[in-house]
Amino acid sequence: MTTPVIDTLNTRVTIRTYQDKPVSEEMVQAILGAARRSPTSSNMQTYSIVVVRDPETKKQLAVLAGNQKHVEECPVFFAFCADLHRLEMACALHGEPLVKSLETTLVATVDAALVGMSAQTAVESLGLGAVMIGGMRNHPAEVAALLGLPLGVYVVFGMCVGWPDPINLPAQKPRLPEELVIHYERYDDSDPTPLVQQYDAALAEHYNAQGNNQHAAAWSGPIARRLNGKIRPFLRPTLEKLGFAFD
Ligand SMILES: Cc1cc2nc3c(=O)[nH]c(=O)nc-3n(C[C@H](O)[C@H](O)[C@H](O)COP(=O)(O)O)c2cc1C
């Protein structure tokens, strides 16, 4: 069974190279309008989106994201922010404090992520391409300063949007076997090793076909090397300084 939305999701692929062609304001507004219809926890709408077209700002964001050239090269960049600032104002209207907690941090982060995913689906349904940029959390304070974010707002991730370069269209990356990620009624906790190894081989084949030589454990290998230490250990203290709580 399929629908235009299911087709869009089934055929999507992350796009990191773009044609030198603008994305119209009409398209940007259609994307943002659709994204704003996303479900949101208790209708709190604890997110904001900063739309960036300015070349100098994109250049600086690209550096802060770890020199990701697509951030500079894309015609339009969206920063999806968790936003407790506006909620604090709403509480203040009634003389109440906003008591921040791990839960309010999660609510705002999830809201931003949902809006971001809706935006990406809208982008792809228009024939545009996108890549999400978690690299925005490499330097959250610098990113917040650059975008003028008030206390209580941080960029969860960004998104580069542009017209896909037809010469550099990537092939779809295979996904983990369905049995590993979909469970019916109860979680199936049987040994995932054979299916993980099967996926390691499938992903290696995919990378090799792209001319990107990978050793056999193409999925589990990089993950094991990446996760053997704390990632972004500065994140908690930095986000606390930006007005978020974790307890
Ligand atoms: C939250 C999030 C953050 C991401 N951050 C980056 C990033 O900083 N740079 C990048 O090149 N790709 C980034 N990606 C894209 C992923 O690498 C990509 O989705 C994944 O490899 C699967 O490939 P596919 O989307 O083409 O299927 C991010 C994806 C997500 C969902």
Side-chain angles (χ1 to χ4, degrees):
M1 173 182 279
T2 194
T3 66
V5 177
I6 291 174
D7 274 348
T8 297
L9 292 169
N10 276 333
T11 53
R12 66 155 303 279
V13 60
T14 283
I15 299 291
R16 297 183 177 85
T17 45
Y18 311 102
Q19 296 175 48
D20 185 14
K21 178 176 160 186
V23 173
S24 72
E25 193 51 32
E26 190 188 1
M27 283 191 165
V28 167
Q29 291 309 318
I31 293 159
L32 296 173
R36 286 176 51 232
R37 295 308 317 171
S38 298
T40 158
S41 192
S42 304
N43 197 30
M44 288 191 288
Q45 305 170 67
T46 47
Y47 72 90
S48 284
I49 306 169
V50 182
V51 183
V52 181
R53 286 191 186 266
D54 179 65
E56 187 51 38
T57 307
K58 283 189 288 140
K59 193 172 179 177
Q60 291 183 45
L61 287 172
V63 173
L64 291 169
N67 294 317
Q68 298 202 46
K69 64 169 180 48
H70 30 276
V71 177
E72 185 177 351
E73 290 170 359
C74 66
V76 60
F77 182 85
F78 298 137
F80 294 100
C81 310
D83 189 339
L84 296 176
H85 176 66
R86 193 172 43 239
L87 237 52
E88 214 156 16
M89 311 293 253
C91 292
L93 280 178
H94 302 275
E96 300 289 351
L98 166 58
V99 179
K100 292 176 181 170
S101 64
L102 176 60
E103 176 65 10
T104 56
T105 298
L106 286 176
V107 161
T109 303
V110 170
D111 267 7
L114 295 175
V115 164
M117 186 61 221
S118 294
Q120 177 146 332
T121 302
V123 161
E124 289 164 345
S125 76
L126 289 166
L128 291 159
V131 53
M132 290 182 176
I133 302 295
M136 288 292 99
R137 299 190 308 276
N138 287 351
H139 298 283
E142 289 83 348
V143 167
L146 182 60
L147 298 180
L149 306 183
L151 199 66
V153 185
Y154 86 96
V155 178
V156 181
F157 59 93
M159 187 187 295
C160 309
V161 176
W163 291 102
D165 174 359
I167 299 161
N168 286 303
L169 276 185
Q172 273 197 317
K173 249 182 219 176
R175 289 295 195 248
L176 284 166
E178 185 181 337
E179 304 93 295
L180 278 184
V181 294
I182 311 291
H183 306 264
Y184 293 95
E185 312 304 342
R186 284 177 64 80
Y187 193 101
D188 175 0
D189 196 21
S190 48
D191 180 11
T193 309
L195 288 172
V196 165
Q197 287 172 338
Q198 178 189 313
Y199 183 61
D200 275 338
L203 195 59
E205 202 178 310
H206 162 84
Y207 285 137
N208 290 337
Q210 315 291 302
N212 175 5
N213 279 351
Q214 292 273 329
H215 70 85
W219 184 74
S220 61
I223 284 176
R225 287 188 291 281
R226 188 167 181 214
L227 300 182
N228 66 5
K230 245 190 192 178
I231 305 171
R232 297 183 179 127
F234 53 82
L235 207 50
R236 179 175 175 161
T238 306
L239 293 189
E240 281 171 346
K241 278 193 197 119
L242 293 178
F244 288 83
F246 292 86
D247 48 15

